[in-house]
Amino acid sequence: MEKKTVKRINDCIIRIEEKEDHREVENLIREAFWNVYRPGCLEHFVISRLREDERFVPELDFVMEKDGEIIGQNVFVRAHIDADDGRQIPVMTMGPICIAPEFKRKGYGRILLDYSLEQAALAGCRAVCFEGNIDFYGGSGFGYASSFGIRYHGLPEGEDASFFLCRELEEGYLSGITGEYTTPDVYMVSPDEADEFDRSFPEKKKEKLPGQIFEF
């Protein structure tokens, strides 16, 4: 079956993920995140859970392909801000997003990110809240969520919130709004369940490395 091309950019295409891509994408995510934030990783299990959740946005489920191989992916999930005035403000969150380790720092990540944000805006997304590194995501228009008056759920006042980023896709959408954002609970997976899921993949060694955020 011919796969629908969403966008051809230079030597790669960006298209919608299809069911037959699932295992390849999970393995890509596993390779990209293994031993980065913790020994092993959870993200390949997270994506398997996200696809089954009603908040997942299948029309914004992207893969990047080069020479017939999937080298990158990004997904979006519906979320909201609990505004201080009692309203729920619809936003989206993003990720996991990754590029295969051998293609990192070659510009592919920025291409995938910018295109997927453009498509999210066309699909009606008006703001994205996301946990990430400002050094990379700032180049695609993200800023600190605190500058929009948005707090991260459970983070005590005065604690470092530099990981919590936001970008308006509709200018002024968050103007005058203050409130709290909570990561959708579907992202909160059990390490034990993730380990069970991981047993169906080729064995990889878990290592504790400098810079990891989590211990397990």
Side-chain angles (χ1 to χ4, degrees), residues 65-78:
E65 195 175 80
K66 174 177 164 60
D67 299 328
E69 176 188 359
I70 294 175
I71 67 163
Q73 58 75 225
N74 191 20
V75 301
F76 289 81
V77 174
R78 294 182 183 88

Side-chain angles (χ1 to χ4, degrees), residues 5-209:
T5 298
V6 177
K7 180 71 172 182
R8 181 173 294 276
I9 303 175
N10 299 335
D11 61 347
C12 61
I13 64 171
I14 301 173
R15 61 174 176 81
I16 299 298
E17 183 190 41
E18 299 183 357
K19 188 173 182 178
E20 56 264 37
D21 300 320
H22 285 184
R23 192 65 169 184
E24 185 176 355
V25 169
E26 289 160 6
N27 194 62
L28 165 70
I29 293 170
R30 184 177 187 249
E31 292 295 321
F33 285 98
W34 194 261
N35 291 333
V36 174
Y37 296 115
R38 68 181 78 234
C41 72
L42 307 179
E43 285 81 0
H44 59 317
F45 179 52
V46 169
I47 190 69
S48 72
R49 291 277 305 275
L50 290 178
R51 295 190 191 107
E52 299 174 357
D53 193 90
E54 63 182 5
R55 292 162 290 188
F56 184 72
V57 187
E59 63 268 30
L60 298 176
D61 174 11
F62 297 106
V63 296
M64 173 179 270
E65 195 175 80
K66 174 177 164 60
D67 299 328
E69 176 188 359
I70 294 175
I71 67 163
Q73 58 75 225
N74 191 20
V75 301
F76 289 81
V77 174
R78 294 182 183 88
H80 66 268
I81 295 165
D82 289 309
D84 293 333
D85 63 9
R87 291 180 293 162
Q88 283 194 342
I89 309 300
V91 297
M92 287 188 190
T93 191
M94 184 177 69
I97 174 174
C98 72
I99 294 292
E102 62 269 31
F103 291 102
K104 287 184 177 179
R105 291 177 287 278
K106 295 183 179 181
Y108 292 105
R110 181 59 50 77
I111 291 171
L112 175 60
L113 174 62
D114 289 348
Y115 180 75
S116 58
L117 288 170
E118 174 188 309
Q119 294 304 301
L122 292 174
C125 176
R126 301 162 83 181
V128 176
C129 291
F130 175 69
E131 300 159 43
N133 188 327
I134 192 68
D135 292 339
F136 177 76
Y137 293 99
S140 291
F142 281 88
Y144 297 120
S146 58
S147 68
F148 292 91
I150 309 303
R151 306 180 300 275
Y152 191 81
H153 174 73
L155 191 68
E157 186 175 353
E159 289 289 318
D160 180 21
S162 59
F163 66 91
F164 181 36
L165 310 180
C166 182
R167 177 180 165 182
E168 288 183 323
L169 299 184
E170 178 184 305
E171 186 176 356
Y173 178 61
L174 298 177
S175 179
I177 294 172
T178 61
E180 184 175 272
Y181 167 84
T182 302
T183 300
D185 56 7
V186 67
Y187 281 94
M188 309 305 172
V189 300
S190 160
D192 289 340
E193 290 182 339
D195 283 345
E196 180 64 31
F197 179 75
D198 189 67
R199 291 189 183 99
S200 64
F201 291 81
E203 185 175 353
K204 288 175 69 69
K205 183 179 179 181
K206 292 184 178 183
E207 295 182 298
K208 291 186 177 181
L209 301 176

